[in-house]
Amino acid sequence: MTAAAPATITVRVLLFASYADLTGRDEVTATLPGSARVTDLLAWVRAVLPEGGKLPDRPLVALNRTHVRLDAVLADGDEVALLPPMAGG
Amino acid sequence: MTAAAPATITVRVLLFASYADLTGRDEVTATLPGSARVTDLLAWVRAVLPEGGKLPDRPLVALNRTHVRLDAVLADGDEVALLPPMAGG
Amino acid sequence: MTYLTGDPISADQLVSQVSGPSRGGIATFVGLVRDHQDGRGVIRLEYHAYPAMAELECGAVVAEVVSRWPVSIALMHRTGSLSVGDVAIAVAAAGDHRAECFDACRWVVEQVKHRIPIWKKEFYADGSVAWVDPTQLATPLAPDPLGSVHRG
Amino acid sequence: MTYLTGDPISADQLVSQVSGPSRGGIATFVGLVRDHQDGRGVIRLEYHAYPAMAELECGAVVAEVVSRWPVSIALMHRTGSLSVGDVAIAVAAAGDHRAECFDACRWVVEQVKHRIPIWKKEFYADGSVAWVDPTQLATPLAPDPLGSVHRG
């Protein structure tokens, strides 16, 4: 089922609530190596975004609207959301 | 605090729901010996009211709107209610 | 305070009674007349009460619940003849936190079921009638032997 | 099904969604904006959401609750700016028996608090602002540093 990974992938990164306030961004596009995982994306976010280094080391992450572990592999066109601790209700 | 019991007392007896249907009465006045207890009243009810003998041996009883044990002593003018199993709500 | 009513009960009205700017939550329970009971079709109900004592006992339940939980409580119970879908009982509990709202609301409902002198007569689709006795299975009577009597 | 709304929530409307002649009871919970939190005055709130995922997760919660209890469920969560007294969340659970109504309603409220990607920003009487973090004490920020931004 798996073809060879492309050289690079582009993912859409969503930041919410305190993470959006912290970085001043609620959405950013990241270009990463083809075999990148969520952890690679987090390293990119921490390095590139203003105050990104203040994000937690291991935030909650949703990949295409589903909770995932941080070792999940990304694909071109993915939507990755960084979720602060939830506080509904 | 207690004066000598009068020769007789009159109490108002209330019957509800299935007990009222059974006896065909929802209220009756009983004249009893001055030192009568709830048990004496129950014996009177069972003997005097139509189908009274089909009432339970030990129904729930309220004396002046408060639950009492069956050995509670009655006084003239008391209101005694025979309460079928409750079914509110 | 009056806890019994012969008129339709509005759950909204109870909610508004317990609302306030310091309240973080309101748990509500509404008991409705169902169209069935133990597999039999139900057409309507009658709730009969010992009103004077029922009011006292409802007041005692409310006094006890507010001593056990930091909540405001509203409680109403219907009497008389009810149709399917009518509200028989409504309880609203407002508090700071949801746990105490739920616990207090539920406790009041349980207390009312077992402690308030109210009785329920069910009128079935097959024409029979029975007083509900929670201590045993419902005892069917002959078809409506006393008509639609209202007592107490 | 839509579970998030930017408009005021009517608990009545949720109740009517789950009502029916076979239902014996409806338990409801309404979460309100309080005028205080941890001893501080609260003026208003903002609820921000990840709408697409929040809708999916609400749907998953409802699917799970009706698989666990024999109930009908209605659920709405408000987003945007709310004032004190506004309804933030409303859940209604209708069933045959009160126990399942209460249990199901409470379970949904708990799930929503911990599982749905919604965040709450509190605006305090002293001019400060904080995102509510249930995993720790609320972290006060400088007075409204970003103004009244609405994202997501």
Side-chain angles (χ1 to χ4, degrees), chain C residues 6-68:
Chain C
D7 298 320
I9 293 173
S10 158
D12 297 341
Q13 198 183 322
L14 267 72
V15 166
S16 69
Q17 281 177 32
V18 296
S19 295
S22 69
R23 296 310 194 179
I26 303 177
T28 307
F29 181 79
V30 170
L32 304 165
V33 179
R34 287 189 297 186
D35 62 5
H36 66 283
Q37 181 64 41
D38 299 327
R40 307 166 74 185
V42 171
I43 302 300
R44 67 180 188 91
L45 296 183
E46 286 174 10
Y47 280 101
H48 294 223
Y50 179 9
M53 185 175 173
E55 294 285 357
L56 286 175
E57 289 287 313
C58 285
V61 167
V62 169
E64 188 170 344
V65 71
V66 300
S67 77
R68 294 177 61 159

Side-chain angles (χ1 to χ4, degrees), chain A residues 67 83 86, chain D residues 4 48-51 53-54 57 112 115-119:
Chain A
H67 292 288
L83 309 175
M86 301 174 195
Chain D
L4 271 62
H48 295 224
Y50 180 8
M53 184 176 174
E57 288 287 314
V112 168
R115 175 167 162 186
I116 310 299
I118 296 178
W119 300 275

Side-chain angles (χ1 to χ4, degrees), chain B residues 14-18 20-21 24-26 62 64-67 79 81 83-89, chain C residues 47 49-50 52-53 56 77 89 113-121 131-135 146 151:
Chain B
L14 304 179
L15 297 111
F16 292 95
S18 58
D21 278 3
R25 307 287 289 268
D26 57 5
N64 299 325
R65 302 164 188 179
T66 301
H67 291 289
E79 177 177 294
L83 309 175
M86 301 175 194
Chain C
Y47 280 101
Y50 179 9
M53 185 175 173
L56 286 175
H77 200 298
I89 179 178
K113 295 213 168 242
H114 299 115
R115 176 167 160 186
I116 310 299
I118 296 177
W119 300 275
K120 178 161 63 172
K121 194 175 196 174
W131 288 101
V132 175
D133 180 352
T135 65
L146 297 170
R151 288 195 188 78

Side-chain angles (χ1 to χ4, degrees), chain D residues 34-120:
Chain D
R34 286 188 298 185
D35 62 5
H36 66 284
Q37 181 64 41
D38 298 330
R40 308 166 73 186
V42 171
I43 303 299
R44 68 181 187 92
L45 296 182
E46 285 174 12
Y47 280 102
H48 295 224
Y50 180 8
M53 184 176 174
E55 294 285 357
L56 286 176
E57 288 287 314
C58 285
V61 167
V62 169
E64 188 170 345
V65 70
V66 300
S67 77
R68 293 176 62 159
W69 288 276
V71 293
S72 303
I73 292 284
L75 161 64
M76 289 297 291
H77 199 297
R78 181 90 179 269
T79 56
S81 183
L82 281 72
S83 304
V84 170
D86 283 352
V87 174
I89 179 178
V91 178
D96 257 23
H97 303 291
R98 66 188 180 282
E100 62 212 26
C101 297
F102 276 114
D103 289 343
C105 184
R106 189 168 189 162
W107 187 85
V108 169
V109 176
E110 306 277 347
Q111 291 292 307
V112 168
K113 296 215 168 239
H114 299 114
R115 175 167 162 186
I116 310 299
I118 296 178
W119 300 275
K120 178 161 64 172

Side-chain angles (χ1 to χ4, degrees), chain A residues 51-82:
Chain A
E51 308 291 334
K54 293 183 180 169
L55 291 170
D57 288 335
R58 302 181 59 79
L60 280 177
V61 172
L63 174 58
N64 298 327
R65 303 165 187 178
T66 301
H67 292 288
V68 290
R69 295 164 44 134
L70 300 188
D71 60 1
V73 176
L74 300 174
D76 193 53
D78 277 349
E79 178 177 294
V80 182
L82 276 51

